[in-house]
């Protein structure tokens, strides 16, 4: 899942204008992907409420879990800023964004492929297609600029 924050970190640090432009595009795509994911989440919630015949409410345990996730996410953001500052080249910044997006795409593909039940497959496929397009965009840019994305 592409996130705007690392794209902004990469944009602030990139030296070459063509990399800066790609990072701007990726930040905008991150916003669009978030909208697609919000639509999917809302569809899942609506389907569950329709199926159960009542509004969905988080249990206290689920609320604590979300609070813990939010706290962990904030810590990860602070750590990410330090980690990105240590990346010496534009290619390293691109590689970091690529590896993150590719890993998220692969995970989502496996999770959603095997999911049964109330998953809105049309919306889930739209998210996967969008993410796959983003991965492809980065790969094409890397090929054009002779950036090796694999670390091995």
């Amino acid at each position: 899942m592409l996130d705007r924050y690392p794209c902004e970190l990469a944009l602030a640090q990139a030296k070459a204008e063509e990399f800066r432009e790609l990072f701007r595009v990726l930040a905008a795509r991150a916003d669009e992907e978030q909208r697609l994911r919000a639509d999917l989440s809302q569809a899942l919630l609506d389907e569950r409420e329709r199926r159960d015949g009542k509004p969905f409410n988080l249990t206290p345990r689920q609320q604590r879990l979300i609070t813990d996730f939010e706290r962990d996410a904030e810590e990860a953001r602070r750590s990410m800023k330090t980690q990105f500052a240590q990346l010496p080249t534009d290619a390293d910044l691109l590689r970091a964004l690529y590896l993150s997006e590719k890993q998220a795409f692969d995970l989502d593909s496996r999770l959603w492929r095997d999911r049964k039940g109330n998953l809105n497959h049309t919306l889930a496929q739209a998210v996967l297609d969008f993410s796959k397009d983003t991965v492809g965009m980065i790969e094409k840019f890397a090929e054009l600029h002779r950036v090796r994305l694999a670390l091995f």
Side-chain angles (χ1 to χ4, degrees):
M1 173 177 71
L2 194 60
D3 186 340
R4 177 177 258 292
Y5 184 66
C7 296
E8 290 173 345
L9 290 174
L11 176 60
Q13 221 175 292
K15 294 164 187 68
E17 186 53 39
E18 59 269 18
F19 280 82
R20 294 175 55 74
E21 182 56 32
L22 176 66
F23 297 148
R24 277 187 207 93
V25 169
L26 292 175
R29 287 185 69 82
D31 292 342
E32 179 61 25
E33 186 175 335
Q34 290 300 320
R35 283 189 287 280
L36 289 169
R37 287 178 179 277
D39 290 347
L40 177 59
S41 293
Q42 187 60 52
L44 291 169
L45 179 62
D46 292 347
E47 173 59 24
R48 180 170 181 171
E49 289 179 345
R50 184 197 60 73
R51 185 189 68 224
D52 294 349
K54 62 180 182 179
F56 174 75
N57 291 308
L58 293 171
T59 66
R61 183 174 184 270
Q62 290 168 326
Q63 289 172 339
R64 284 192 306 276
L65 188 62
I66 288 173
T67 300
D68 290 346
F69 285 156
E70 289 170 346
R71 185 182 59 245
D72 292 347
E74 185 54 41
E75 178 58 35
R77 288 173 68 88
R78 285 191 294 275
S79 172
M80 189 182 301
K81 187 172 185 177
T82 302
Q83 291 169 351
F84 266 72
Q86 295 172 358
L87 296 175
T89 67
D90 292 351
D92 291 322
L93 295 167
L94 180 64
R95 192 174 297 110
L97 291 176
Y98 171 76
L99 292 173
S100 175
E101 180 63 8
K102 181 79 168 91
Q103 181 181 27
F105 171 74
D106 291 344
L107 178 63
D108 283 348
S109 295
R110 286 190 307 275
L111 289 175
W112 293 349
R113 178 188 62 229
D114 298 333
R115 177 94 189 254
K116 305 282 189 268
N118 65 350
L119 179 66
N120 183 315
H121 293 282
T122 302
L123 287 174
Q125 191 61 52
V127 172
L128 286 175
D129 290 346
F130 192 85
S131 183
K132 184 177 181 179
D133 288 347
T134 301
V135 168
M137 176 187 296
I138 295 170
E139 289 171 343
K140 286 177 187 170
F141 181 92
E143 184 179 333
L144 180 66
H145 292 86
R146 294 190 168 94
V147 174
R148 201 176 91 194
L149 293 174
L151 296 176
F152 42 90

